[in-house]
């Protein structure tokens, strides 16, 4: 996907929103996006917002995003917001972001907000400019698991809760 996107909320290079209440599985595999996005909240180079209350799995495997994003809150190179009410349901493997992000709060190179998410064998190499909850890999991580991951990039932040890898992490 090669796209220039202007939108409001739930904006992504592939899809804006994935919301699952069903027990069925959702798989996104072998996707590449080259994006230039200008939007408001819940914005990602691949997916803007993922939210699941089901026990069916959501997986993203072998995905790559490159480009630039300018937006407001919950903004990242791959996924703006990823939230699962159940552990071991929402997983990403071999995902890469090379996206430059400019935002207000909750911003990161790979995933801005992560709750009950597992990410393995993945990395981010974009630059991030924002205020609060800013990280090169993840902005805010709650009960999430990251294995064999790294981030390289420049963080420019004017507020608090800022880190080279994660802006904030709890039970992760």
């Amino acid at each position: 996907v090669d796209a220039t996107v202007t939108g409001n909320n739930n904006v992504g290079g592939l899809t804006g929103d994935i919301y699952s209440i069903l027990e069925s599985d959702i798989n996104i595999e072998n996707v590449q996006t080259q994006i230039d996005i200008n939007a408001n909240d819940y914005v990602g180079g691949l997916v803007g917002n993922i939210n699941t209350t089901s026990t069916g799995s959501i997986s993203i495997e072998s995905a790559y995003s490159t480009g630039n994003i300018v937006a407001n809150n919950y903004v990242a190179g791959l996924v703006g917001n990823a939230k699962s009410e159940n552990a071991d349901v929402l997983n990403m493997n071999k995902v890469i972001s090379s996206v430059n992000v400019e935002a207000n709060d909750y911003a990161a190179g790979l995933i801005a907000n992560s709750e009950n998410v597992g990410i393995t064998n993945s990395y981010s190499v974009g630059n991030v400019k924002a205020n609060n909850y800013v990280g090169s890999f993840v902005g805010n991580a709650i009960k999430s698991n990251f294995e064999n991951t790294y981030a390289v990039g420049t963080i420019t932040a004017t507020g608090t809760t800022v880190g080279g890898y994660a802006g904030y992490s709890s039970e992760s």
Side-chain angles (χ1 to χ4, degrees):
V1 177
D2 188 350
T4 298
V5 181
T6 300
N8 193 14
N9 297 328
N10 300 329
V11 176
L14 180 66
T15 185
D17 195 20
I18 297 173
Y19 179 73
S20 177
I21 58 172
L22 305 174
E23 304 308 313
S24 59
D25 296 340
I26 298 172
N27 299 306
I28 298 172
E29 296 180 15
N30 302 316
V31 177
Q32 181 174 344
T33 61
Q34 165 119 18
I35 50 89
D36 188 6
I37 297 177
N38 208 327
N40 196 23
D41 295 337
Y42 302 103
V43 182
L46 188 70
V47 181
N49 185 44
I50 302 172
N51 194 340
T52 180
T53 58
S54 77
T55 56
S57 71
I58 296 177
S59 69
I60 300 176
E61 175 95 22
S62 299
Y64 175 73
S65 288
T66 185
N68 298 289
I69 300 175
V70 177
N72 196 21
N73 299 311
Y74 299 97
V75 183
L78 197 76
V79 177
N81 180 59
K83 182 178 179 181
S84 173
E85 288 190 8
N86 303 298
D88 301 321
V89 170
L90 181 52
N91 295 291
M92 301 177 201
N93 182 43
K94 298 179 184 172
V95 294
I96 301 165
S97 169
S98 180
V99 176
N100 295 312
V101 172
E102 187 173 335
N104 284 327
D105 297 329
Y106 295 95
L110 194 85
I111 184 167
N113 186 60
S114 167
E115 296 184 38
N116 277 325
V117 177
I119 301 177
T120 55
N121 306 314
S122 302
Y123 63 92
S124 169
V125 293
N127 299 318
V128 181
K129 181 179 180 181
N131 297 320
N132 304 298
Y133 293 93
V134 184
S136 191
F137 191 81
V138 60
N140 184 53
I142 309 293
K143 295 182 182 176
S144 294
N145 184 39
F146 307 120
E147 294 181 26
N148 194 27
T149 61
Y150 69 92
V152 176
T154 300
I155 301 290
T156 305
T158 59
T160 62
T161 321
V162 178
Y165 182 84
Y168 178 82
S169 179
S170 175
E171 299 179 59
S172 293

